[in-house]
């Protein structure tokens, strides 16, 4: 299927199945515990399979992975309902990123054991990096240990905010830990594949996000590893390459979030306009108010700027030749969530109290944008990357 044909079929699926199911999904998610899984997500996944859309955004036809440029408009479409579309199409975080990691760096045995079941969603996974005692924005500071003992690896440490870990469907934990504390700083860490039911693994301490307990993705949990033993073959990629592999995972993931954010912004703008035209205030409607007109124009301008930046960054990532690609990703990640959050916030304002309710998608859309100002690197870290690059350039210029 061509990416163009895929876009058409995806839009039809969103119109016919995803938007009509949103209220049921949002009602479920408000009350779900970490072990619950809204039935509506399974129902939509079954429909996506019937329509050839399951995994379609992970691989295409002959198994070729879609390029970032091809993916951009498709993920934008899913961004109109980011949580439900992700569950329906096998694009949930962190499964889609873990799938990419296993596809690119997993051995044949690892792919057979974990990748196939993840692609079929027979199992789900979690990514365990952030620790309570270390700044999550600096993964080099984590301290979970991966020790070699004969032909085994022994893992000891505590992670928190692990998305999806508490789901009964979660069978795989991808863990970042220190495998060689004496190595140079960027060679100390490794990734290890750990079965979620391995002796010594404890999953508890579930957190909510703005009150959402996120049952649809197994919550956000604390995972303790108490001398958990796995064979050496559980290393994902070569030992010592954990940090660079984590970056490989996070770079495209950040861009994908920004692709979805464009859809989030479009949805919020559409709802804002509908409300502005429909809500009578005084002798006219909200759309007659200068302040609301400002919100609409600001939103269109911001979305168009961001879309151009997203598409340009996607092309650069595809070409793979830009030495400053990390800086370009940071420019995007530092700006997109905040800009889109403001658009959703104004749409909420236009709806008054109804805008805050789970009966409209706006509260969840806002949560998505706001959360992204922290996860996958807080705004300030990405701004710091941009500042450093600018100062480096300035120092190199002799006036
Ligand atoms: C919804 C959600 C899901 C998540 N899922 C996962 C997951 O699946 N797996 C996982 O491992 N982790 C996950 N995380 C954790 C996430 O990766 C971290 O929260 C993030 O990296 C920030 O780390 P921290 O919370 O420790 O904040 P800190 O690193 O303590 O930073 C706190 C604040 O300090 C400021 N700051 C930090 N460093 C600097 C600096 N150098 N300069 C200036 N300001 C700075 C920023 O404002 C930042 O927001 C998730 C988080 C959220 C919110």
């Amino acid at each position: 299927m061509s990416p163009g044909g895929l876009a058409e079929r995806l839009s039809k699926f969103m119109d016919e199945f995803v938007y009509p199911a949103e209220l049921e999904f949002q009602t479920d998610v408000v009350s779900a515990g970490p072990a619950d899984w809204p039935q509506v997500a399974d129902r939509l996944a079954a429909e996506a399979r019937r329509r050839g859309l399951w995994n379609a955004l992970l691989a295409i036809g002959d198994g070729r992975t879609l390029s970032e440029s091809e993916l951009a408009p498709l993920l934008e479409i899913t961004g109109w309902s980011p949580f439900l579309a992700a569950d329906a199409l096998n694009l949930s975080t962190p499964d889609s990123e873990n799938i990419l990691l296993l596809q690119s760096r997993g051995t044949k045995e690892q792919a057979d054991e974990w990748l196939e079941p993840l692609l079929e969603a027979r199992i789900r996974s979690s990514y365990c990096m952030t620790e309570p005692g270390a700044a999550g924005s600096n993964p080099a500071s984590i301290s979970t240990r991966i020790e070699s003992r004969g032909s085994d690896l022994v893992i000891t440490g505590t992670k928190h905010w692990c998305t999806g870990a508490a789901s009964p469907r979660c069978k795989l934990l991808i863990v970042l830990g220190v495998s060689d504390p004496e190595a140079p700083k960027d060679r100390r860490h490794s990734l290890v594949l750990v079965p979620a039911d391995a002796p010594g693994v404890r999953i508890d301490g579930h957190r909510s996000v703005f009150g959402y307990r996120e049952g649809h993705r197994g919550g956000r949990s604390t995972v303790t590893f108490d001398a958990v033993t796995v064979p050496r073959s559980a290393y994902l990629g070569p030992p010592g390459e954990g940090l660079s592999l984590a970056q490989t995972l996070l770079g495209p993931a950040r861009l994908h979030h920004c692709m979805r954010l464009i859809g989030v912004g479009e949805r919020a703008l559409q709802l804002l306009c509908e409300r502005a035209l429909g809500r009578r205030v005084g002798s006219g409607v909200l759309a007659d108010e200068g302040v609301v007109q400002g919100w609409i124009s600001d939103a269109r301008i911001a979305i168009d700027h961001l879309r151009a930046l997203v598409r340009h960054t996607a092309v650069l990532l595809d070409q793979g030749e830009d030495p400053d690609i990390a800086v370009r990703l940071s420019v995007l990640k530092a700006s997109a969530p905040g800009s889109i959050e403001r658009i959703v916030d104004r749409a909420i304002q236009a709806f008054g109290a109804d805008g805050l309710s789970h009966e409209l998608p706006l509260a969840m859309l806002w949560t998505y944008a706001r959360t992204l100002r922290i996860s996958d690197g807080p705004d300030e870290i990405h701004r710091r990357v941009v500042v450093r690059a600018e100062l480096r350039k300035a120092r190199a210029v002799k006036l």
Side-chain angles (χ1 to χ4, degrees):
M1 203 189 312
S2 72
L6 199 48
E8 211 172 295
R9 291 172 65 167
L10 191 53
S11 296
K12 204 162 161 4
F13 178 67
M14 297 288 289
D15 288 341
E16 290 178 12
F17 293 92
V18 176
Y19 305 134
E22 272 181 337
L23 182 57
E24 182 185 346
F25 178 70
Q26 282 154 204
T27 307
D28 273 2
V29 168
V30 166
S31 56
D36 298 328
W37 188 278
Q39 286 185 359
V40 58
D42 281 348
R43 224 170 51 232
L44 261 63
E47 185 59 36
R49 283 174 200 268
R50 267 195 293 280
R51 295 173 163 242
L53 291 170
W54 182 256
N55 287 338
L57 272 59
L58 290 170
I60 188 167
D62 54 1
R64 181 174 68 90
T65 302
L66 286 165
S67 71
E68 300 299 338
S69 310
E70 289 169 333
L71 206 48
L74 301 171
L75 285 185
E76 178 179 328
I77 294 170
T78 68
W80 280 62
S81 187
F83 293 115
L84 188 49
D87 287 339
L89 300 167
N90 206 17
L91 292 173
S92 295
T93 298
D95 293 308
S96 58
E97 290 86 355
N98 289 345
I99 285 171
L100 285 180
L101 256 184
L102 284 161
Q103 265 172 345
S104 61
R105 306 312 291 259
T107 62
K108 160 101 179 59
E109 291 70 27
Q110 290 170 342
D112 288 346
E113 186 171 6
W114 302 116
L115 182 57
E116 292 311 316
L118 277 171
L119 284 169
E120 284 310 307
R122 288 199 299 281
I123 66 166
R124 301 286 71 187
S125 62
S126 188
Y127 182 67
C128 305
M129 180 182 76
T130 311
E131 299 183 357
S137 21
N138 177 16
S141 65
I142 66 167
S143 61
T144 290
R145 281 289 278 127
I146 304 170
E147 290 172 279
S148 279
R149 290 210 196 132
S151 58
D152 288 335
L153 302 172
V154 179
I155 302 153
T156 306
T158 302
K159 303 289 185 176
H160 71 164
W161 283 95
C162 301
T163 301
S167 166
R169 300 182 187 192
C170 177
K171 302 296 177 204
L172 170 66
L173 309 171
I174 300 189
V175 185
L176 183 72
V178 178
S179 49
D180 183 357
E182 308 305 324
K185 269 190 182 162
D186 58 346
R187 305 272 315 152
R188 285 180 193 166
H189 300 78
S190 301
L191 287 175
V192 182
L193 304 177
V194 178
D197 59 358
V201 171
R202 197 173 73 244
I203 300 173
D204 52 18
H206 314 302
R207 308 280 184 81
S208 65
V209 175
F210 295 114
Y212 289 112
R213 294 170 69 202
E214 306 230 47
H216 63 298
R217 50 199 60 222
R220 323 281 177 176
S221 306
T222 298
V223 183
T224 309
F225 299 87
D226 183 7
V228 174
T229 303
V230 291
R232 274 190 79 79
S233 57
Y235 271 130
L236 178 60
E241 287 193 11
L243 286 183
S244 68
L245 279 176
Q247 284 312 314
T248 309
L249 171 86
L250 286 176
R254 286 171 180 147
L255 181 59
H256 297 165
H257 281 309
C258 293
M259 292 170 181
R260 286 184 201 103
L261 280 167
I262 307 298
V264 170
E266 288 287 4
R267 181 88 187 272
L269 176 55
Q270 178 172 310
L271 288 167
L272 168 60
C273 290
E274 284 171 12
R275 174 72 172 187
L277 289 170
R279 189 60 162 181
R280 295 209 67 78
V281 285
S283 57
V285 288
L286 267 184
D288 300 331
E289 301 295 322
V291 68
V292 176
Q293 292 174 2
W295 293 348
I296 293 169
S297 59
D298 286 356
R300 171 50 59 215
I301 291 163
I303 292 169
D304 284 358
H305 274 130
L306 283 173
R307 181 184 287 110
L309 196 55
V310 164
R311 303 281 169 101
H312 180 59
T313 309
V315 169
L316 293 174
L317 205 60
D318 284 338
Q319 290 170 345
E321 286 162 10
D322 186 344
D324 286 332
I325 192 67
V327 181
R328 293 180 187 279
L329 286 166
S330 282
V331 167
L332 202 47
K333 180 63 174 57
S335 53
S339 297
I340 299 298
E341 181 204 349
R342 192 158 47 248
I343 295 169
V344 183
D345 184 71
R346 287 170 167 176
I348 288 174
Q349 195 70 11
F351 275 91
D354 286 352
L356 304 170
S357 154
H358 74 281
E359 289 172 8
L360 285 176
L362 288 167
M364 276 195 108
L365 294 178
W366 182 85
T367 303
Y368 183 71
R370 180 63 187 89
T371 303
L372 279 172
R373 293 187 49 210
I374 292 178
S375 57
D376 283 358
D379 290 357
E380 293 71 22
I381 294 290
H382 291 292
R383 290 210 156 84
R384 204 171 66 138
V385 172
V386 176
V387 169
R388 280 184 172 170
E390 287 304 314
L391 295 180
R392 202 169 43 240
K393 269 192 289 183
R395 282 193 196 101
V397 175
K398 299 262 185 286
L399 291 176

